Amino acid sequence: MNRKNGQKNIVIIGAGYAGVHAAKKLAKKYKKDDSVSITLIDRHSYHTMMTELHEVAAHRVEPDAIQFDLRRLFNRTKVKLVTDNVKHVDYQSKVVTTEHGQFSFDYLILGMGGEPNDFGTPGVQENGFTLWSWEDAVRLREHIEKIVRKAATVHDEATRKAMLTFTVCGSGFTGIEMVGELIEWKERLAKDYKLDADDITLYVVEAAPTILNMLERRDADKAESYMVKQGVKILKSAPIVEVKEDAIVLKSGEELPTYTLIWTAGVRANSDTKDYGMSAGRAGRLKVNAHMESEDYKDVYVVGDLAYFEEEPGKPTPQIVEAAEQTAMTAAKNIIAEISGGEKEEYVGKYHGVMVSIGARYGVANLSGVHLSGWFANFMKHMVNLYYFFGIRSGYYMYQYVMHEFFHTKDKRNIFRDFLTRYGNVLWSLPLRVFVAGFWIIEACAKLWGESTWKDSISSWSKVPNLFNGLGEDSWLTATSVKMPFEWLQTATSGASEAATSTDFATPILSKMPFWFEWIMKIMLPTPEVALFMQKMMIFIELAIGLAILAGLFTWLANAASAAFLVMFTLCAMLGWDKVWALPASIALMNGSGRTFGLDYWVVPFLQRKLGDWWYGKERAIYKDYK
């Protein structure tokens, strides 16, 4: 706590969006100035990406996906990190007292953010769930999984229905994004606990006559239409007056049975600030001037959701991430002006729009007058989030965000569905799949048109039309003799190299066919006529394998066939060393490679579901065969 002569100590309380941005700005400015110290105090050792809490609460991403360790954010900077609870701020002595220490300051930035506002509604704290912290999200997620698991074993229909009814109070960003995640998660919940997705009911309860009032009506109406189409029940002009353990009570007197009420109806200033002795505005937010400096104390700045500054009469800065970042930058620049000289600047909010995701695959957005909905809206939200990491200079967490949002999700819960998922690593096998498909298609075409005709026709673009002039003399389709090295077809196995040459194979892997395989082939192809028929069929089999692999249709079977035929060609002493790569490649592609940019993405799950239900029956959590 000792203050050195000439030392300027900056203390920031709160590692939210605003606190992190202020610390980053100041650390960059005074990177090589030892006369300025910067201390960031927070009760947690991590920064939470608050805008993505709903993703954790509804199990789209794991909890660590939105938790960013402060050491990883500030390592190799001059920011000193302190994990502690602030107990008191002495503005006269300029000392911050925590549970475990004291910190002197010349400049103080308060950025503790807000907390849920229940407006004194009875039962919210005891029976409701909020979504304003990492802990809230984990607690809600665990509750939902527990209540669905329990409901699946309950026989009483009314109790079961109430337990499977999830109600969101409030239709702002948090509420709508939460119900959007539940729309998608309920499919997985139903599957895991042997329920029908229709057994799960979702409600949005709003006190106002309209929802999503931060959006223009045309955008809000699109969002409402989408939710209704997905089965969400929306109650408007329906204030909640009491929250019970198993129901909510509306102002109309109606009771809605539910064991899960998610309260997102409002935000107020962090209650820790009530003892800070500063003038407060609406919802307890601390009043500041245009420089983001406290109206009561010099050298004390307030930023983010905690700051109350009216940009227009009666219109305070919005409690959104952009405002948090911009108020933090204003405060940091004005502290720099105080220390290093220069003119202070006034806060001017520049907001580029609003975006609301309704699950992973749909959203609405208004970006500076550009209205987006569906896929593009959610894509832009991801771009904004990535830009946020650029703003806090964290390439590490930018990478982690991309992995969590695009490669580690399940059940098609990202904007690319499961096309980019890393489960199975099928995305990276796509180029190999195309290459193996091309191998078989070219092999089939060479046999169909004949090796000489095919090679000549593809030697240049100008000769490609020659393929339409008919089949060549060496076409397998019009052949009258077998081009395979079987002894009884007047080609001894010792002459395999000659046979290989006739089909344009390079030096074969085997010099001759093993005796045991020759014996098997004679059983399978007992006469030249059967062999000739199979030779012609081989053209269409190879073409079918190539097209199936290219289209990503039944790729496990297609690649198993590919590997099998390549083994057969090897044992026939017909496969050259130049083509042996296709064997391990085919085996590698049996990993479900058609699930990415292939028809198997749709076909295989459909067949698994339909055939499974047909053969095994539909699973139920409770069986009542006696009815």
Side-chain angles (χ1 to χ4, degrees), residues 576-592:
W577 284 104
D578 62 325
K579 295 171 182 176
V580 71
W581 65 268
L583 177 57
S586 298
I587 295 171
L589 290 175
M590 292 170 66
N591 68 340

Side-chain angles (χ1 to χ4, degrees), residues 124 269 375 396 619:
V124 173
W375 188 92
Y396 173 81
E619 292 181 326

Side-chain angles (χ1 to χ4, degrees), residues 17 62 122-123 161 235 243 284 327 607:
Y17 288 103
E62 294 304 318
K161 182 175 177 61
L235 304 181
V243 179
T327 55
L607 290 177

